[in-house]
Amino acid sequence: MTQVRKRLGDLLVDAGLITEEQLQLTLKEKSSGQKLGDALLQRGYVTEQQLIEVLEFQLGIPHVSLYRYPFDTNLFSIVPKDMAKRNLIIPMKKDGDKLYVAMADPMDFYTIDDLRLSTGFQIETAIATKDDILRAVNKYYDMDEGLEELFGTSPAHTEEVEQEKIVDQDSPIVRLVNQVLTNAAVVKASDVHIDPQETKVVIRYRVDGILRTERVLPKHMQSVLTARIKIMANLDITEHRIPQDGRIKMNLDFHPVDLRVSTLPTVYGEKIVMRLLDLGSTLNDINKLGFNKVNLQRFTDMIEKPTGIVLITGPTGSGKSSTLYAALNKLNSEEVNIITVEDPVEYQLEGINQIHVNSNVGMTFAAGLRAILRQDPNIIMVGEIRDKETAEVAIRASLTGHLVLSTLHTNDSIGTITRLVDMGVEPFLVASSLSGVVAQRLVRRVCRDCAKTMEPSKREIEIFAKRGMKIDQVVKGAGCSSCNMTGYKGRVAIHEVLVVDDVMRRVIMNGESLSKLREIAIKNKTIFLVDDGLIKIKQGITTTEEVLRVALPD
């Protein structure tokens, strides 16, 4: 009797990982050549680990975790690096005439045939996640090949060889920098920090908002490393005494990445921070930003008004730009003229006119804004309101029939109103122009592959009770290879959306206290940052520790 092989979609539905509607929707919307698994991953319906477990069951091929796997490094010479990266494979071990290979797609028979012919071995496959394979390839291939000469170079000798080495593509320093950046892209780091210290240079990655040390280099490599990065970012290599800013555009693993580079002179040399902007994965859909239903409705109403000013606030790196871009993307159509003035322009958006601030030639936010107003705009986006002048021009623009979107650095939504008044803007201008404020923070998501349901602690029950909520169970990550043993993978935003209504306008005009504003906000059923965080804890998206790290309960 022949066994009927079930299709992947049906297996995922049977396992309760996706619903029938999600499956049908994905099948309808996916592009013709795209595999179902990839389409489901892209929409976030399943994690790679869940997909692999189902594939293992469907194909009868074992799955492996490459985290701390004892690789036979001699086999890396058999499968070249570019083949390993292109086809997402990595050799693990050999046993007699069999070569065991981990693959992201064990149904890729062309690659298996290629391998058999080029190596002469019988190929035995296992499934591993794409991230796992890329991480292993970047870690073990050319890990230190050619870098020994760099590590071994004596400090006195580095100066003469420096010049030709930092531009030659095959030189060890160029390979080292490329490797550091590729690794950063694989682990989805948002920033790379190069910290000079007294006796060493430390390279750190910021992943999901938390810094961690990636590698430590000897001190004598500092000057070559700094020079190489400065050359890539078109900065002045001879200037070590003042901060400099630049950009690098490059392809990492076949997709474009934009790097913002900033150097800062410190006691032990120049500290370099590179911010990675992945141009392929910009969050352009407002529904995927993590807004809950009430907040999403309020925010959408705010940005769909023809006039007024909408502010998004939060500290650096709290995802304000992503929210702004998602809002612009929603409003972007050929009937409206959208102009932005930013410092710097982070993501280029099609159909939107973007201006770059350049204070050296007097092109400040305020000057850019004044010029924009003569360009017949409907919607204006100002990267950041930093001073009274910009605030006043933005507010006057919103009063003359434009919708203005901007960001401001404050702790919460109500504090934004007092901050504008502190800047010197007249309270009646603030009251008449402000449509609403969105305060936002990013919290880490619990890793879906190692999430475990637990009883809440006494402290957690107290925190929830204080905000008038009940909690029966919380979800925490145990730590697995796909989240690098942290228990968290990816981030989600928590929001506080403050709608400015007529009652609030009167209070602002009369210059009344913060507590009065807060009372009105509570009366209007505003969901505060902590409350939105607690709702996300109840949904099993994040943990209490994460919410308390970014938002303080009153």
Side-chain angles (χ1 to χ4, degrees), residues 285-405:
D285 187 351
I286 205 164
N287 300 312
K288 291 189 181 145
L289 292 178
F291 277 104
N292 64 42
K293 280 199 188 89
V294 181
N295 281 346
L296 180 61
Q297 188 56 52
R298 287 177 179 173
F299 182 55
T300 316
D301 292 347
M302 263 188 234
I303 60 171
E304 284 177 347
K305 283 185 182 165
T307 64
I309 186 163
V310 177
L311 294 174
I312 298 178
T313 75
T316 324
S318 59
K320 298 191 296 291
S321 303
S322 298
T323 307
L324 269 183
Y325 281 122
L328 285 181
N329 215 43
K330 184 173 171 60
L331 299 168
N332 190 6
S333 70
E334 58 181 47
E335 290 97 54
V336 290
N337 176 17
I338 302 180
I339 308 183
T340 75
V341 50
E342 303 167 64
D343 177 23
V345 173
E346 287 187 26
Y347 298 112
Q348 274 109 11
L349 295 176
E350 211 172 318
I352 290 179
N353 311 291
Q354 292 169 288
I355 303 172
H356 193 77
V357 166
N358 184 350
S359 44
N360 299 339
V361 293
M363 180 63 167
T364 58
F365 275 125
L369 247 174
R370 286 202 181 91
I372 286 175
L373 289 172
R374 295 192 286 276
Q375 289 277 321
D376 179 33
N378 300 89
I379 298 166
I380 301 169
M381 191 263 263
V382 186
E384 191 186 332
I385 291 180
R386 294 181 187 162
D387 50 42
K388 179 185 174 185
E389 192 184 4
T390 315
E392 284 191 337
V393 182
I395 281 173
R396 288 187 196 284
S398 74
L399 289 173
T400 52
H402 304 93
L403 173 66
V404 181
L405 304 173

Side-chain angles (χ1 to χ4, degrees), residues 289-292 295 313 318 438-443 491-497 527-537 541-542 546-548 550-552:
L289 292 178
F291 277 104
N292 64 42
N295 281 346
T313 75
S318 59
V438 178
Q440 137 168 8
R441 298 285 186 282
L442 289 178
V443 289
R491 287 190 290 176
V492 65
I494 57 173
H495 302 94
E496 175 175 305
V497 179
I527 299 170
F528 291 103
L529 274 174
V530 175
D531 301 326
D532 195 26
L534 297 185
I535 292 168
K536 289 191 166 66
I537 297 168
I541 296 174
T542 186
E546 276 300 294
V547 172
L548 295 183
V550 296
L552 295 169

Side-chain angles (χ1 to χ4, degrees), residues 174-460:
V174 172
R175 286 219 309 276
L176 172 72
V177 171
N178 290 349
Q179 201 182 323
V180 165
L181 295 177
T182 310
N183 275 356
V186 168
V187 298
K188 298 191 169 48
S190 58
D191 304 81
V192 178
H193 288 238
I194 296 173
D195 293 338
Q197 293 176 5
E198 193 170 6
T199 54
K200 57 184 189 277
V201 179
V202 179
I203 296 179
R204 296 188 294 171
Y205 289 166
R206 187 181 290 282
V207 180
D208 290 341
I210 308 288
L211 275 171
R212 64 159 198 250
T213 302
E214 173 66 14
R215 55 165 64 185
V216 179
L217 303 175
K219 182 72 175 170
H220 66 254
M221 286 171 64
Q222 185 181 322
S223 57
V224 220
L225 187 63
T226 310
R228 171 62 195 156
I229 292 169
K230 282 181 155 184
I231 277 183
M232 290 168 80
N234 287 328
L235 301 177
D236 182 355
I237 338 185
T238 56
E239 183 54 81
H240 307 290
R241 297 159 303 176
I242 56 169
Q244 298 185 61
D245 290 307
R247 297 189 88 132
I248 303 173
K249 267 202 162 117
M250 62 190 297
N251 275 335
L252 290 178
D253 284 343
F254 314 111
H255 66 264
V257 173
D258 212 354
L259 294 152
R260 282 198 348 228
V261 182
S262 158
T263 72
L264 184 74
T266 69
V267 183
Y268 298 121
E270 285 175 282
K271 172 177 165 72
I272 297 178
V273 176
M274 293 181 274
R275 159 76 51 97
L276 277 83
L277 300 166
D278 185 341
L279 303 177
S281 72
T282 54
L283 264 176
N284 281 338
D285 187 351
I286 205 164
N287 300 312
K288 291 189 181 145
L289 292 178
F291 277 104
N292 64 42
K293 280 199 188 89
V294 181
N295 281 346
L296 180 61
Q297 188 56 52
R298 287 177 179 173
F299 182 55
T300 316
D301 292 347
M302 263 188 234
I303 60 171
E304 284 177 347
K305 283 185 182 165
T307 64
I309 186 163
V310 177
L311 294 174
I312 298 178
T313 75
T316 324
S318 59
K320 298 191 296 291
S321 303
S322 298
T323 307
L324 269 183
Y325 281 122
L328 285 181
N329 215 43
K330 184 173 171 60
L331 299 168
N332 190 6
S333 70
E334 58 181 47
E335 290 97 54
V336 290
N337 176 17
I338 302 180
I339 308 183
T340 75
V341 50
E342 303 167 64
D343 177 23
V345 173
E346 287 187 26
Y347 298 112
Q348 274 109 11
L349 295 176
E350 211 172 318
I352 290 179
N353 311 291
Q354 292 169 288
I355 303 172
H356 193 77
V357 166
N358 184 350
S359 44
N360 299 339
V361 293
M363 180 63 167
T364 58
F365 275 125
L369 247 174
R370 286 202 181 91
I372 286 175
L373 289 172
R374 295 192 286 276
Q375 289 277 321
D376 179 33
N378 300 89
I379 298 166
I380 301 169
M381 191 263 263
V382 186
E384 191 186 332
I385 291 180
R386 294 181 187 162
D387 50 42
K388 179 185 174 185
E389 192 184 4
T390 315
E392 284 191 337
V393 182
I395 281 173
R396 288 187 196 284
S398 74
L399 289 173
T400 52
H402 304 93
L403 173 66
V404 181
L405 304 173
S406 188
T407 68
L408 196 67
H409 288 260
T410 58
N411 287 335
D412 58 5
S413 56
I414 297 173
T416 308
I417 296 167
T418 48
R419 174 96 178 84
L420 284 170
V421 176
D422 283 348
M423 271 183 173
V425 181
E426 293 292 342
F428 73 89
L429 282 177
V430 177
S432 47
S433 63
L434 199 61
S435 297
V437 184
V438 178
Q440 137 168 8
R441 298 285 186 282
L442 289 178
V443 289
R444 291 185 292 169
R445 275 176 187 274
V446 174
C447 169
R448 280 160 64 179
D449 295 326
C450 57
K452 300 248 185 313
T453 319
M454 301 162 94
E455 289 280 307
S457 66
K458 200 170 156 206
R459 167 107 175 94
E460 284 173 325

Side-chain angles (χ1 to χ4, degrees), residues 79-95:
V79 181
K81 182 181 179 184
D82 56 340
M83 181 180 183
K85 267 192 149 163
R86 195 173 53 245
N87 300 313
L88 296 171
I89 54 175
I90 189 164
M92 302 189 314
K93 60 179 182 185
K94 68 173 199 280
D95 182 8

